[in-house]
Amino acid sequence: MPVTIKSAREIELMRAAGKILAKVHQDLGKALKPGMTTLEIDQIGEEMIRSYGCIPSFKNYQGYPASVCVSVNNEVVHGIPSERRRIQEGDIVSLDIGVIYKGYHSDAARTHGVGEISENAARLIKRTRESFFAGLRFATAGCYLHQMSKAIGDYAEKAGYGVVRDLVGHGIGSHLHEEPEVPNFRKLTRGIRLRPGMTLAVEPMINEGTSNVEWMDDNWTVVTQDGKLSAHYENTILITKSRPEILSITEDEIAGGIWVPEGSL
Ligand code: CO
């Protein structure tokens, strides 16, 4: 399937989906407490999603059993919620959530600290988020996709981190995963030229140590090979003629500051 340009109507639906998803992330992030099980997190998240009349995109997607991917510490993405896994003070917890509103998907991820976390963990979360915004400088019509990829990867590597290469972002719309693939690292090709109306899920997955990852025996959970921490930050964005519209973010988060100053590393 080729890369699609969304119509005005489709964009309106994706805006609505993104707004709901942003709110779910904000509320679920605030609900995280030491001692909760990752299954409780999933159940609260699913209830929130359904309360807005949305369907969780991930539930039963290629057999994935939950609505919220909950990945703790060395887990990179796709952690499966479990009643046996409790989050504790000092953990970092990545929540990846997708919602479907009137047939249109929005996909976003945030990494949260539970209670007080180490300085290293806090820095990893902050730099991962910043790498997304470093990439967004190139998320404008006329730019080539892999300019954004390179900017994300260079930012994270300059910060001293490993950039996951085995998983990438993606186009999004009436399907969770559409073309193109959106890598978070430099490529030898320049990729497609971005055009207004393209919608992308941009999702850097950044490791404290090695960029290498492994799959656990559940065939879902991706973990760092060296057991060090990993963080994830993702939004669904709309390409325009100027700055991209970030569809899955709250006004509060934007007001808190998003653009990373050039040369800030
Ligand atoms: Co995604």
Side-chain angles (χ1 to χ4, degrees):
M1 216 177 73
V3 179
T4 57
I5 302 294
K6 270 68 182 181
S7 69
R9 172 187 158 271
E10 292 180 297
I11 289 168
E12 266 319 306
L13 295 175
M14 291 192 68
R15 279 197 183 106
K19 237 192 179 83
I20 293 166
L21 178 55
K23 178 77 173 128
V24 169
H25 261 299
Q26 188 172 46
D27 292 347
L28 193 56
K30 283 181 190 158
L32 294 182
K33 295 283 176 313
M36 274 172 107
T37 69
T38 56
L39 185 64
E40 284 167 342
I41 297 168
D42 172 61
Q43 287 167 342
I44 297 167
E46 178 167 356
E47 224 158 89
M48 288 176 176
I49 293 165
R50 296 199 189 276
S51 76
Y52 292 104
C54 290
I55 299 167
S57 308
F58 301 167
K59 193 130 193 186
N60 303 319
Y61 181 82
Q62 293 183 4
Y64 186 77
S67 300
V68 181
C69 297
V70 187
S71 308
V72 184
N73 295 334
N74 62 310
E75 296 169 357
V76 179
V77 287
H78 303 169
I80 297 180
S82 159
E83 61 185 356
R84 294 188 310 275
R85 184 81 190 264
R86 284 181 196 280
I87 60 169
Q88 304 177 35
E89 172 104 17
D91 283 346
I92 64 169
V93 180
S94 299
L95 303 180
D96 189 353
I97 312 177
V99 304
I100 311 173
Y101 179 73
K102 296 189 178 170
Y104 283 81
H105 293 254
S106 195
D107 183 5
R110 299 286 185 272
T111 301
H112 301 279
V114 181
E116 219 165 289
I117 60 173
S118 71
E119 257 176 58
N120 280 349
R123 191 183 318 117
L124 173 67
I125 293 172
K126 181 165 175 280
R127 294 302 189 202
T128 299
R129 180 177 180 279
E130 287 172 355
S131 73
F132 169 91
F133 289 101
L136 241 56
R137 290 190 200 118
F138 298 94
T140 290
C143 287
Y144 290 96
L145 176 66
H146 295 164
Q147 290 181 275
M148 174 167 74
S149 299
K150 177 181 187 312
I152 295 170
D154 285 358
Y155 189 89
E157 277 175 8
K158 256 194 218 164
Y161 295 128
V163 177
V164 174
R165 308 174 79 85
D166 289 350
L167 296 143
V168 295
H170 48 95
I172 182 168
S174 55
H175 299 269
L176 174 61
H177 293 138
E178 299 184 357
E179 286 189 36
E181 286 196 352
V182 182
N184 300 300
F185 43 88
R186 187 171 64 84
K187 299 283 289 183
L188 294 174
T189 55
R190 63 188 184 180
I192 62 162
R193 196 151 186 194
L194 298 178
R195 290 175 52 197
M198 288 180 177
T199 45
L200 305 173
V202 182
E203 51 177 319
M205 290 152 270
I206 306 298
N207 298 346
E208 193 182 15
T210 178
S211 61
N212 293 340
V213 299
E214 288 173 351
W215 269 257
M216 294 204 339
D217 287 338
D218 62 19
N219 279 322
W220 276 106
T221 313
V222 180
V223 294
T224 57
Q225 203 171 67
D226 59 10
K228 293 188 178 177
L229 299 176
S230 184
H232 189 194
Y233 185 87
E234 173 180 25
N235 280 306
T236 299
I237 67 166
L238 168 69
I239 301 299
T240 78
K241 274 187 259 175
S242 57
R243 282 184 173 184
E245 208 178 304
I246 307 171
L247 302 177
S248 53
I249 198 166
T250 60
E251 296 295 333
D252 291 357
E253 192 180 340
I254 290 170
I258 53 174
W259 295 97
V260 186
E262 196 101 37
S264 66
L265 270 183

